């Protein structure tokens, strides 16, 4: 009986790695956002800066850890698939679910500006993909653009009044040391989870003959997007539209400029032709559609949300059929 149990565990080791990885990524992302938001509150940073950096970028830490692990293990398709798949999932899946719970108002000038930056960043990624990949010079330019963007946002918004619903109002009070402990534990869990997820997902892809690109675009992308999903659903239930939208848009910007920039700075990231022909154009189309909804309708309503979810289901079916 014991031998049978050990045999079952051995045969399903890769699935256990994936399950453990997803669990640690979710716990780590939640811990990091909780601790960093409390820390930012103690440092009296504005809600906008907290939302853009701590929440939007903090929820992208699983993508960063997974991309770094994948790059170091020479699996660039998982690096690119993770980022592109996460950006598609953030809009079609996560934004769709959030807006289905409560329509997301998007009349804020800050949201409109950030949507434009997200679209431009996606166009830039498509241009780099046509060139064949991201080298270290490209990475430096991407990180420079990200830093410039953050500085501009800070300068433009530092005099703005705080919104009634503070983004950190959902985070309990805690001291600086406790906040730093949450951040440290969150980062540790993210590192462990990223390593486990990449290891298990890569082996599963090879065993079933599924390309690493598809694994990156589906299992890895959705898994690393769990923190964004959690934050968005919480914000939707609390009817805090700006938090939900800001979280997703900020995450998408950081995924392209920050994650791919940092990863390519360590090791150049080649981009396979399939991403250039299919997935990055889809990511760009999705970003443009979200932008049109923001500029024309001023909100992401339930009907649009259903359309997003249907489109995502179709995209998943397309990936596995093709």
């Amino acid at each position: 009986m014991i031998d049978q149990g050990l045999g079952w565990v051995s045969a399903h080791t890769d699935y256990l790695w994936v399950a453990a990885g997803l669990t640690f990524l979710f716990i780590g992302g939640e811990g990091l956002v909780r601790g960093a938001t409390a820390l930012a509150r103690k440092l009296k940073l504005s809600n906008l800066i907290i939302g853009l950096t701590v929440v939007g970028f903090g929820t992208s830490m699983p993508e960063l850890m997974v991309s770094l692990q994948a790059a170091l293990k020479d699996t660039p398709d998982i690096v690119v698939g993770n980022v592109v798949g996460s950006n598609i999932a953030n809009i079609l899946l996560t934004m769709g679910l959030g807006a289905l719970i409560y329509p997301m108002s998007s009349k804020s000038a800050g949201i409109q500006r950030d949507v434009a930056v997200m679209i431009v960043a996606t166009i830039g990624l498509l241009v780099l993909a046509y060139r064949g990949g991201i080298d270290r010079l490209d990475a430096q330019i991407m990180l420079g653009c990200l830093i410039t963007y953050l500085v501009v946002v800070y300068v433009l918004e530092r005099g703005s009044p705080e919104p009634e619903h503070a983004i950190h109002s959902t985070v309990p009070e805690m001291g600086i040391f406790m906040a730093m402990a949450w951040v440290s534990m969150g980062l540790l869990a993210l590192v462990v989870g990223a390593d486990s997820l990449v290891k298990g997902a890569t082996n599963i892809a090879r065993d079933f003959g599924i390309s690493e690109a598809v694994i990156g675009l589906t299992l890895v992308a959705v898994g690393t997007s769990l923190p964004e999903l959690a934050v968005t659903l919480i914000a939707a239930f609390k009817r805090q539209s700006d938090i939900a939208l800001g979280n997703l848009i900020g995450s998408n910007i950081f995924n392209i400029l920050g994650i791919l920039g940092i990863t390519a700075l360590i090791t150049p990231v080649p981009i396979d032709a399939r991403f250039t022909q299919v997935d990055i154009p889809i990511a760009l189309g999705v970003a443009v559609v979200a932008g049109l909804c923001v500029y024309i309708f001023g909100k992401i309503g339930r009907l649009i949300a259903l359309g997003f979810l249907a489109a995502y289901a179709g995209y998943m079916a397309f990936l596995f059929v093709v």
Side-chain angles (χ1 to χ4, degrees):
M1 188 71 177
I2 294 177
D3 290 340
Q4 289 180 346
L6 292 175
W8 185 91
V9 172
S10 177
H12 295 79
T13 298
D14 293 329
Y15 297 97
L16 294 176
W17 278 120
V18 169
L22 292 174
T23 301
F24 275 102
L25 285 175
F26 184 80
I27 293 172
E30 173 66 20
L32 177 65
V33 171
R34 182 180 294 267
T37 305
L39 186 61
R41 184 178 184 181
K42 285 292 183 182
L43 297 176
K44 301 187 184 302
L45 298 179
S46 72
N47 289 327
L48 176 76
I49 299 302
I50 293 172
L52 184 62
T53 58
V54 176
V55 178
F57 294 176
T59 53
S60 289
M61 287 304 293
E63 285 94 334
L64 176 59
M65 294 300 180
V66 167
S67 292
L68 289 175
Q69 290 282 354
L72 293 174
K73 293 182 179 181
D74 195 27
T75 53
D77 283 353
I78 287 185
V79 175
V80 181
N82 174 33
V83 168
V84 175
S86 290
N87 278 21
I88 294 172
N90 279 348
I91 293 178
L92 294 183
L93 177 62
T94 305
M95 190 179 292
L97 288 174
L100 200 60
I101 294 171
Y102 183 75
M104 297 182 183
S105 175
S106 54
K107 297 179 182 179
S108 165
I111 292 293
Q112 295 177 355
R113 176 198 60 227
D114 296 340
V115 166
V117 172
M118 176 182 67
I119 293 172
V120 171
T122 309
I123 292 173
L125 176 58
L126 184 58
V127 172
L128 292 174
Y130 275 113
R131 285 179 43 201
I134 307 171
D135 59 28
R136 287 190 172 89
L137 178 59
D138 297 325
Q140 293 173 23
I141 294 173
M142 293 167 75
L143 292 174
C145 290
L146 179 62
I147 293 171
T148 301
Y149 167 65
L150 291 176
V151 171
V152 170
V153 169
Y154 175 74
V155 171
L156 290 176
E157 299 291 343
R158 62 183 176 180
S160 300
E162 295 290 331
E164 293 181 5
H165 299 290
I167 194 167
H168 46 242
S169 62
T170 59
V171 177
E173 284 283 352
M174 63 178 76
I176 289 181
F177 290 109
M178 180 60 72
M180 292 177 66
W182 273 102
V183 170
S184 300
M185 290 187 293
L187 287 172
L188 179 60
L190 287 173
V191 171
V192 173
D195 183 65
S196 299
L197 181 59
V198 171
K199 182 184 298 183
T202 303
N203 290 337
I204 290 172
R206 290 170 180 164
D207 289 342
F208 282 90
I210 301 172
S211 71
E212 291 176 351
V214 171
I215 289 294
L217 288 163
T218 55
L219 177 62
V220 176
V222 174
T224 55
S225 295
L226 288 177
E228 285 94 335
L229 179 60
V231 170
T232 300
L233 293 182
I234 291 171
F237 278 116
K238 292 180 176 293
R239 300 188 174 186
Q240 297 177 338
S241 300
D242 284 347
I243 296 175
L245 281 173
N247 162 46
L248 296 174
I249 295 168
S251 177
N252 279 14
I253 294 170
F254 184 72
N255 282 349
I256 295 175
L257 299 180
I259 291 174
L260 289 178
I262 292 171
T263 304
L265 196 62
I266 297 173
T267 176
V269 178
I271 299 178
D272 187 83
R274 71 145 291 149
F275 291 111
T276 306
Q277 298 166 358
V278 180
D279 305 294
I280 299 178
I282 289 176
L284 177 58
V286 165
V288 170
V289 169
L292 290 175
C293 291
V294 167
Y295 290 114
I296 296 176
F297 301 112
K299 69 175 183 177
I300 310 295
R302 288 191 172 94
L303 185 59
I304 295 174
L306 287 173
F308 280 2
L309 293 173
Y312 190 71
Y315 176 60
M316 289 292 101
F318 167 79
L319 287 178
F320 285 101
V321 169
V322 176

